[in-house]
Amino acid sequence: MNKYLPGRDFAKKKDAEDPLRSFAGRFYKPAGTIYMDGNSLGLMSRDAEETLMNAVSAWKNDAIDIWGKDGYLTYHDRLGALCAPLIGADPEEVTIGGSTTVNIHTAIASFYHPVPGRNRILVDDLNFPTDRYAVCSEIAIHGYDPEECLKTVASRDGRYIYEDDIIEAMTEDVCMVLLPSALYRSAQLIDMQKIADAARQRGITVGFDLCHSIGAVPHDFSKIQPDFAVWCTYKYLNAGPGAVAGLYINKKHFGRSGMAGWWGNDKETQFDLRPDFEPAQNAGGWQIGTASILSMAPLEGSLKLYAEAGIDRLRAKSLDLTGYLMELINERLSGYGFSIGSPREDERRTGHVALVHEDAVRINAAMKDCGILPDFRYPDVIRLAPVPLYTSYTEVYDMVEKTVRIMEEKLYEKYENKRGTVA
Ligand SMILES: Cc1ncc(COP(=O)(O)O)c(C=O)c1O
């Protein structure tokens, strides 16, 4: 029997039974809008605001004592420990610093040791492009030619990655593989365990970009055991625009940071200001310059909120919300030329759904004017992310009904077929 029933009353009943329903009240929501873009920029919570204001007060009241008295000298370690349960890592294997792209550079600088005949980095062609830009520039910095040393596995269909294709491409000349945990367009989750096991068997260093799964899907790095991973904290983790990113370093690599800086020094001796770098023996050893406390502070409140809600409960609700959304798309929107460009199987889908339509740009624009905030990704995808911390079943229902109206009344036809600067 279908577990989702038609009609708005069903959505209201689901909301009434939802054990996580009270969390939505802790977020600031744009007025009059159904927010579906939390996979791009998460909403601000009162919890994040509070920890941001704590840091502001510490600076205001204690000035230089913010580091010692208020304990912000080791803030990156404390935030790392709060983040670690989301990926099943040891607390000391996670640090908070830089941005996703900067952390990719930091990790490659640490773990890319090319030699003639074994100098290629393996990537896919669907990952967010910044990863590829960083990989190419690191190859060049190391004195090799990106044209030769970047090895790209092409997607068979432009939507999904097939793990077997990646593994087949792990040849003798490959020394590192960098892949996303989930695809930003189709929402496909990659089987990281399978990739990491295959890489390990071949002596290949493996790293993952978790931007589209952290905070949406629990991961178990105690089993997967990649060498490194990076992620942003401004999507599902709701830490604010440009908030400071995350970096996982497998403990077997502690002490081997490739880009030294005084903030990565052992905290006991950092202020001795010695000429030689003494790396902290945890992921904090990958810190470089003075930590951006005010940009890190909202993450503290947000991660405490995660600890309260529980990543397993959030994942269960996320799957139910995206399952419900896909059911409504099938029932109410498929007659208007829409299809679903995301995996149907729960274990292969992260927190959003790709709604595919040849007129996606114009429909996306019409949705925005009708009080929905999704986003468009070239060429034909509208991404919809019902976020379990703050999206209700009723909002999902209403969003689909508003879209039906847009199609029925052809409201999208008055828009130009041109995407905005920020899609
Ligand atoms: C997979 C992925 N990696 C990286 C980034 C962005 O990197 P940064 O946080 O350095 O801006 C994004 C942005 O959406 C992304 O989707």
Side-chain angles (χ1 to χ4, degrees), residues 99-102 127-128 130-131 180 182 184 209 211-212 232 234-235:
S99 69
T100 314
T101 315
V102 167
N127 196 358
F128 193 79
T130 198
D131 296 36
Y184 75 93
D209 178 337
C211 280
H212 288 278
C232 63
Y234 46 76
K235 299 180 190 292

Side-chain angles (χ1 to χ4, degrees), residues 159-356:
R159 220 173 272 291
Y160 302 124
I161 291 177
Y162 296 83
E163 286 85 355
D164 289 341
D165 294 351
I166 303 278
I167 293 169
E168 202 185 307
M170 291 181 184
T171 44
E172 279 284 293
D173 51 356
V174 171
C175 59
M176 178 180 279
V177 52
L178 175 64
L179 291 175
S181 57
L183 292 179
Y184 75 93
R185 214 181 277 129
S186 69
Q188 179 200 352
L189 272 178
I190 309 300
D191 186 338
M192 290 193 283
Q193 185 75 64
K194 190 169 175 179
I195 297 292
D197 287 348
R200 218 175 353 263
Q201 278 160 16
R202 293 161 178 77
I204 296 172
T205 300
V206 61
F208 293 109
D209 178 337
L210 311 181
C211 280
H212 288 278
S213 64
I214 187 111
V217 182
H219 298 308
D220 190 354
F221 276 16
S222 72
K223 292 211 179 83
I224 299 171
Q225 292 281 330
D227 292 284
F228 69 90
V230 297
W231 58 91
C232 63
T233 61
Y234 46 76
K235 299 180 190 292
Y236 294 104
L237 293 186
N238 307 311
V244 180
L247 175 65
Y248 160 90
I249 299 288
N250 191 306
K251 55 178 168 298
K252 70 184 175 199
H253 297 302
F254 286 174
R256 289 164 47 196
S257 150
M259 283 174 59
W262 80 309
W263 219 254
N265 202 88
D266 182 343
K267 289 294 169 219
E268 290 297 316
T269 57
Q270 178 176 340
F271 281 85
D272 294 347
L273 304 174
R274 297 177 186 168
D276 293 322
F277 178 53
E278 293 171 17
Q281 294 300 312
N282 60 11
W286 271 256
Q287 291 284 325
I288 303 174
T290 309
S292 304
I293 300 303
L294 298 185
S295 300
M296 293 160 79
L299 182 62
E300 182 185 351
S302 190
L303 288 173
K304 286 179 172 163
L305 201 149
Y306 259 90
E308 211 181 309
I311 185 68
D312 290 326
R313 289 201 302 167
L314 289 168
R315 172 64 170 160
K317 181 176 170 190
S318 165
L319 284 172
D320 201 33
L321 280 167
T322 51
Y324 181 47
L325 172 56
M326 290 195 291
E327 175 73 17
L328 291 174
I329 292 170
N330 279 337
E331 288 296 314
R332 303 285 292 142
L333 290 173
S334 53
Y336 297 101
F338 286 103
S339 60
I340 294 171
S342 299
R344 309 293 171 103
E345 310 90 313
D346 282 359
E347 64 283 1
R348 291 186 64 228
R349 185 174 74 249
T350 183
H352 74 270
V353 172
L355 181 63
V356 179

Side-chain angles (χ1 to χ4, degrees), residues 104-105 108-109 112-115 118-123 131-152 173-178:
I104 292 171
H105 279 285
I108 298 180
Y112 179 51
H113 304 298
V115 289
R118 195 166 168 80
N119 52 20
R120 301 183 83 188
I121 301 185
L122 186 66
V123 299
D131 296 36
R132 188 188 180 89
Y133 305 159
V135 168
C136 286
S137 69
E138 284 293 333
I139 290 172
I141 288 168
H142 283 77
Y144 286 84
D145 180 0
E147 293 264 328
E148 283 170 24
C149 294
L150 181 78
K151 184 169 183 182
T152 308
D173 51 356
V174 171
C175 59
M176 178 180 279
V177 52
L178 175 64

